Amino acid sequence: MSAPIAIHRNLQIPAGRVVLAADLGVPRESPRGAVLFAHGSGSGRHSPRNRYVATELNRAGLVTVLADLLTPEEEQVDLRTAALRFDIDLLAARVTAVADWAADNEPTAGLGVGLFGASTGAAAALIAAANRPATVQAVVSRGGRPDLADAHLHEVRQPTLLIVGERDPVVIELNRQAMQKLGGETRLVIIPGASHLFEEPGTLEQVAGLARDWFLRHLQPIPQRTERP
């Protein structure tokens, strides 16, 4: 039996007054960077789509951190009200906390950090990138809602890759509008035949390949973080 691509362990990451459950994946080869996942509406660290992307990033030598942005108690509230999944400021604060943890703790300290955001999680990732310009080096959005971070888009200087399905026309237009406001290098890729969730055969594989190449291109080792809010 071949050895697993990455070593996995569970984490508890402090975020203000709460602690977030997270899964850490560390490739067996020397890490080339770290990618933190910001999940979308009603999703979490067990998302099969994000876990697939994370596995492909591990295969490329990238550390991955998949954290639940809501506590179990908050998730129960959200199941009843669907309110917290659209609290972008709250989600962005949680992503920022995970980025701070990654900058200060092994095995991610000193690695270039990228953010992978899906759906509403993409807006949280973009705000976190604006909050931590010296920590976050690149952002990838899958079927994202960057319009929900509209007031912060001009502050995002990091290279940002926007991936949208061809069969998701409203989100395509929202991403095109966001491109005009983002402050750094930006690329929009439309996946042929893909819907919002990239459930069509071969489409998620394309997302993973694009994300891998973007992060490998832009993530570089960094010194210990010194910035604070």
Side-chain angles (χ1 to χ4, degrees):
M1 181 181 297
S2 61
I5 297 167
I7 300 170
H8 294 270
R9 64 183 175 92
N10 297 326
L11 298 174
Q12 297 290 315
I13 298 178
R17 297 181 178 180
V18 303
V19 175
L20 306 177
D23 293 338
L24 173 73
V26 182
R28 290 185 173 273
E29 61 184 81
S30 297
R32 304 172 65 181
V35 177
L36 320 179
F37 283 69
H39 307 290
S41 303
S43 186
R45 72 187 193 280
H46 298 299
S47 161
R49 285 177 289 277
N50 283 347
R51 294 187 79 86
Y52 171 80
V53 173
T55 297
E56 294 305 302
L57 297 182
N58 291 154
R59 196 184 304 275
L62 297 166
V63 178
T64 54
V65 180
L66 293 90
D68 288 336
L69 300 183
L70 299 178
T71 67
E73 294 77 16
E74 291 169 338
E75 287 176 354
Q76 290 303 310
V77 172
D78 189 63
L79 284 174
R80 296 193 302 270
T81 66
L84 295 177
R85 69 187 66 180
F86 293 106
D87 188 340
I88 303 302
D89 289 338
L90 172 66
L91 300 179
R94 301 284 170 83
V95 178
T96 301
V98 176
D100 288 345
W101 178 92
D104 286 341
N105 292 272
E106 296 295 340
T108 50
L111 297 177
V113 171
L115 302 179
F116 182 95
S119 189
T120 53
L126 288 166
I127 296 173
N131 288 341
R132 293 292 183 268
T135 298
V136 177
Q137 295 182 348
V139 180
V140 174
S141 163
R142 171 179 66 82
R145 290 288 308 276
D147 56 298
L148 297 177
D150 186 71
H152 302 271
L153 294 180
H154 70 283
E155 301 170 350
V156 180
R157 304 293 179 181
Q158 296 91 332
T160 301
L161 174 63
L162 307 171
I163 307 172
V164 187
E166 179 186 38
R167 296 166 56 190
D168 200 4
V170 173
V171 175
I172 289 175
E173 182 56 30
L174 292 173
N175 278 259
R176 283 178 171 154
Q177 293 173 13
M179 286 185 71
Q180 307 304 314
K181 300 178 181 180
L182 286 163
E185 175 189 352
T186 309
R187 181 185 175 199
L188 172 64
V189 176
I190 299 173
I191 304 295
S195 59
H196 182 66
L197 295 179
F198 298 88
E199 296 175 306
E200 296 74 18
T203 57
L204 192 59
E205 289 82 351
Q206 293 181 62
V207 171
L210 288 163
R212 175 199 64 216
D213 293 347
W214 193 259
F215 289 129
L216 290 178
R217 173 184 169 192
H218 293 291
L219 298 186
Q220 302 293 330
I222 57 174
Q224 194 79 356
R225 180 178 58 84
T226 58
E227 64 179 299
R228 291 295 177 186

